[in-house]
Amino acid sequence: MAPTRKNAIQAVRAFEPATYAKDVSGFMGMDIKDHQLSGVVANLAVAKKMALAVFSVDLDPNEFEMAPIFSPTDISPTPSHETQKPQPSE
Amino acid sequence: MNAGEISATEVVAKTMTFIERRNPAVNAFTEVLQERARLRAESLDQRERGSKPLDLAGVPFAVKNLFDISGITTVAGSKINRANPPATQDALVIQRLEARGAILVGALNMGEYAYDFSGENVHDGPCRNPWALDRMAGGSSSGSGAAAAAGMVPLTLGTDTNGSIRVPSSLCGVFGLKPTFGRIPRTGVFPFSDSLDHVGPIARGLDDLALAYNGIQGYSATDHVCVDRPVENIEVSAGSDDRPVRVGLLGDFFDVEEMQAAKRALEIVASALGNSASSVTGCSLPLAEAARSAAFLITNVEGANFHRDRLLEDADAFDPDTRDRFIAGSLLPAAWYIQAQRVRALFAQQAASLFKDFDVLIAPATPTSAPNIGQRTMQLAGAEVNVRANLGIFTQPLSCIGLPVLSAPVNVESGLPIGIQVIAAPWREDLCFHVTRTLMRLGAVVERALPLDNP
């Protein structure tokens, strides 16, 4: 196992749902009520299992490719008259 | 209607009678658009005299209640959204189906904010499985599956983020298509998880599914993930196309050795294909489990972010199950989300290489037939697991990378319905239909008709 992956897995293993929910929620603006806490902690525990699975995958430590989460079609091209404006000298 | 045997007005009247008779038991509809449908039918009847026939002329349909319908508030299965103003126009796919002559007759029950596989909604009541009213319809497009299965309408629209078209299709015994990500514009559809949300049709018959799919296709710049590709229509009633295909039966993560109903469904399909001209080989996607985990994390984080303001405003206005999942999602470390996206990219490469050897892949749609309403846990491969999270265990890895998948009802001799997934490479929905049609011809997949006296 590559050291980077081993470290990442250890970090996830150290994640403790109940402590994390109490310690972090305030910083995230989430005021977890008593009747919500057990459900939130249970869901964080499931998420931890899922995180262990994704961090167990061998990824090339020298490559970084994320799945596409937006399409370039949502970026309006600069109108041609804009690009033809005289550019300021450097 | 195109044959002149029945008018649109008569179709709508019959549909309303069916809904009136069957919906109280099934609880698939949350809104019935009697007046809108009647007016639309009258205008179609007037139009039909002498004008070019429309391929969905007079076909009634209904949509999951997260699609905008002009004049109605888009509730998305929630209590919170009921305070929103009514939509000012129909979702784009509704406009497209109506332009082909279809008639919108109502909005359908769903899991709150689409974060659900059970079809149980605390605000509108559970949607019940028409084949056994004490069973789940599956979610989150529960009403879409149940309304089609109960024969209230021949086709519906739903959405699928992790399996929300395929799970109810499997449990309700109907056909459902999750097209390639980016094929169908989601304009006017209430979001859940932007990088995973798909729109697709559900129908009792395969030809109806093809007609609906043809009708909703087409690029639109109004959805930023929609890809500018030509419309690729599926031929309806394609006849006896015996073209052999290379079929891969997915194992490992998709293994159902200890899941009786799913195992039987796959045996029926494998046996039928084994007697056809197609080649059938076992195959594997080793990263499927990690991809399922990636889908879980991505959905959790994106959905929680989208609902953050609503959570901060009044978290207890959510269904408690949805609330706790969203709160947890809003706390997850960014590194987990990024890692999930990286795994997703790697899994897409792995699947692409598998499609060099196979035209389609086959996998179970659900690990079980419909569980009881209210059931919280189930046995899965010897372990007790949460029903709500695990009904979509086999659908999640596939939508995570946007593959087109058709969920088809298997011809099980008795008992509750269950489906399989026919999976193709991106943009090859035609192969999903071709193989499903072949399976129908071989008797392994069937259009199931609910007896008229049930319910």
Side-chain angles (χ1 to χ4, degrees):
Chain A
M1 188 186 293
T4 47
R5 183 155 68 101
K6 195 175 159 194
N7 293 341
I9 291 171
Q10 275 174 354
V12 179
R13 285 208 178 112
F15 178 92
E16 208 287 296
T19 313
Y20 184 83
K22 284 178 189 155
D23 290 354
V24 172
S25 55
F27 294 109
M28 303 293 282
M30 286 288 164
D31 175 23
I32 303 176
K33 310 274 192 309
D34 287 346
H35 66 280
Q36 299 165 348
L37 188 61
S38 64
V40 174
V41 170
N43 279 287
L44 286 173
V46 176
K48 176 182 176 177
K49 257 180 69 183
M50 302 294 168
L52 279 171
V54 296
F55 279 103
S56 296
V57 174
D58 264 326
L59 293 174
D60 186 335
N62 299 310
E63 281 194 19
F64 185 43
E65 185 185 340
M66 278 180 52
I69 53 170
F70 66 89
S71 147
T73 53
D74 66 342
I75 300 167
S76 305
T78 310
S80 58
H81 62 85
E82 289 286 323
T83 58
Q84 286 160 17
K85 276 181 184 171
Q87 299 298 305
S89 55
E90 295 190 17
Chain B
M1 187 184 159
N2 282 337
E5 291 167 6
I6 191 166
S7 70
T9 305
E10 288 170 298
V11 171
V12 165
K14 280 179 188 288
T15 302
M16 293 302 166
T17 304
F18 272 129
I19 294 172
E20 205 172 297
R21 191 198 304 170
R22 292 186 166 181
N23 191 56
V26 176
N27 195 28
F29 279 81
T30 52
E31 191 97 39
V32 179
L33 305 169
Q34 201 146 5
E35 186 61 6
R36 171 177 166 148
R38 187 185 63 77
L39 291 171
R40 169 89 182 127
E42 280 177 10
S43 103
L44 275 170
D45 285 335
Q46 284 160 11
R47 182 198 176 277
E48 283 301 307
R49 293 187 196 105
S51 57
K52 190 182 162 201
L54 300 165
D55 57 4
L56 287 171
V59 176
F61 75 106
V63 298
K64 187 174 183 176
N65 69 27
L66 51 56
F67 288 82
D68 283 350
I69 298 172
S70 179
I72 289 175
T73 295
T74 309
V75 295
S78 73
K79 184 173 88 177
I80 296 166
N81 280 31
R82 283 163 215 236
N84 291 351
T88 53
Q89 60 178 352
D90 294 336
L92 183 54
V93 285
I94 294 177
Q95 294 175 34
R96 286 180 173 177
L97 288 183
E98 290 212 320
R100 288 182 168 230
I103 302 170
L104 180 68
V105 300
L108 299 164
N109 204 346
M110 61 176 282
E112 188 185 55
Y113 290 131
Y115 208 174
D116 166 61
F117 283 132
S118 71
E120 296 181 302
N121 184 299
V122 295
H123 313 298
D124 291 310
C127 181
R128 297 177 180 276
N129 192 310
W131 293 95
L133 295 171
D134 57 347
R135 302 281 180 147
M136 292 176 183
S140 64
S141 306
S142 50
S144 306
M152 291 189 265
V153 280
L155 65 92
T156 61
L157 294 180
T159 56
D160 189 315
T161 302
N162 283 294
S164 287
I165 285 175
R166 292 162 287 159
V167 170
S169 296
S170 175
L171 301 191
C172 292
V174 291
F175 295 89
L177 177 69
K178 186 207 75 60
T180 308
F181 186 73
R183 170 81 85 179
I184 311 292
R186 308 167 301 180
T187 315
V189 180
F190 196 78
F192 173 20
S193 173
D194 184 53
S195 76
L196 289 163
D197 289 344
H198 303 68
V199 165
I202 293 178
R204 214 157 92 166
L206 189 60
D207 283 346
D208 286 339
L209 191 81
L211 281 169
Y213 168 60
N214 292 346
I216 59 177
Q217 279 188 60
Y219 172 67
S220 171
T222 54
D223 177 1
H224 76 111
V225 305
C226 193
V227 177
D228 192 358
R229 290 178 62 90
V231 169
E232 292 163 318
N233 279 338
I234 301 298
E235 195 184 339
V236 177
S237 301
S240 53
D241 177 359
D242 287 327
R243 182 170 34 121
V245 288
R246 300 164 302 163
V247 179
L249 288 178
L250 279 170
D252 295 336
F253 177 76
F254 296 93
D255 182 67
V256 287
E257 188 55 37
E258 294 178 53
M259 305 167 199
Q260 286 311 310
K263 184 183 172 191
R264 182 71 193 122
L266 280 179
E267 283 170 353
I268 291 168
V269 168
S271 158
L273 285 169
N275 293 325
S276 74
S278 295
S279 67
V280 187
T281 320
C283 64
S284 171
L285 282 167
L287 283 175
E289 185 171 3
R292 190 255 173 158
S293 300
F296 179 99
L297 293 170
I298 293 164
T299 307
N300 201 207
V301 172
E302 290 187 11
N305 181 272
F306 175 59
H307 287 289
R308 187 169 166 76
D309 279 350
R310 282 176 277 270
L311 283 170
L312 293 172
E313 176 76 23
D314 185 6
D316 284 335
F318 286 77
D319 170 338
D321 280 345
T322 322
R323 175 199 68 204
D324 295 347
R325 295 170 93 186
F326 278 141
I327 293 175
S330 71
L331 303 176
L332 294 188
W336 293 14
Y337 177 81
I338 301 293
Q339 180 77 6
Q341 291 287 12
R342 293 177 72 184
V343 168
R344 186 182 185 188
L346 189 65
F347 184 57
Q349 290 170 19
Q350 187 176 87
S353 77
L354 198 58
F355 283 114
K356 288 176 187 155
D357 298 323
F358 297 102
D359 300 304
V360 299
L361 307 173
I362 289 191
T366 48
T368 175
S369 52
N372 289 314
I373 287 175
Q375 188 177 328
R376 301 288 293 181
T377 60
M378 62 180 178
Q379 287 292 318
L380 206 60
E384 190 166 351
V385 298
N386 182 284
V387 169
R388 203 163 171 157
N390 285 282
L391 277 173
I393 188 170
F394 297 137
T395 53
Q396 269 184 296
L398 306 165
S399 32
C400 177
I401 50 171
L403 302 176
V405 188
L406 200 159
S407 174
V410 176
N411 190 8
V412 287
E413 297 87 352
S414 59
L416 293 166
I418 190 161
I420 49 140
Q421 298 184 89
V422 182
I423 307 143
W427 316 111
R428 294 308 308 266
E429 286 85 348
D430 61 310
L431 287 171
C432 298
F433 277 93
H434 171 64
V435 171
T436 306
R437 204 164 264 139
T438 301
L439 286 168
M440 279 185 75
R441 204 163 45 246
L442 294 167
V445 159
V446 67
E447 293 181 7
R448 294 181 68 136
L450 193 75
L452 285 174
D453 56 353
N454 180 11

